[in-house]
Amino acid sequence: HALESAVLARTGVNLRGAPTATAEHELEEAGAAADDAKEIIALMRACEDARFSPNGVDANAARETWQQARAVLDRLEGRPA
């Protein structure tokens, strides 16, 4: 999905199917701050939960999640190479 692709583009880390601890470690190895790595994983989980929710997704909650994702992606964009 979009967040996964954006993280891959910015860090070179493929999160698809990676266990949480592995994904966090790989993100940190790629230069992400530990807090940002944890937030990315939490956002990925929130997206997956929303995707498979039998009750649908509240549009405001989806917008808020995307705003959080954009903020962390912007921080990744500015990380040192």
Side-chain angles (χ1 to χ4, degrees):
H1 59 52
L3 179 56
E4 199 173 75
S5 297
V7 169
L8 178 61
R10 284 166 176 78
T11 66
V13 175
N14 186 352
L15 299 176
R16 188 175 302 266
T20 298
T22 301
E24 285 181 13
H25 176 75
E26 289 182 8
L27 287 167
E28 289 176 34
E29 288 279 313
D35 287 345
D36 287 342
K38 286 179 180 27
E39 186 172 358
I40 289 166
I41 301 307
L43 288 165
M44 295 280 295
R45 190 174 303 120
C47 290
E48 287 300 309
D49 289 349
R51 179 177 174 201
F52 295 108
S53 172
N55 299 323
V57 179
D58 176 68
N60 289 330
R63 268 191 290 280
E64 184 178 323
T65 299
W66 182 239
Q67 288 172 347
Q68 291 171 339
R70 287 186 61 187
V72 75
L73 290 170
D74 287 347
R75 290 193 298 272
L76 287 179
E77 191 73 30
R79 78 188 195 295

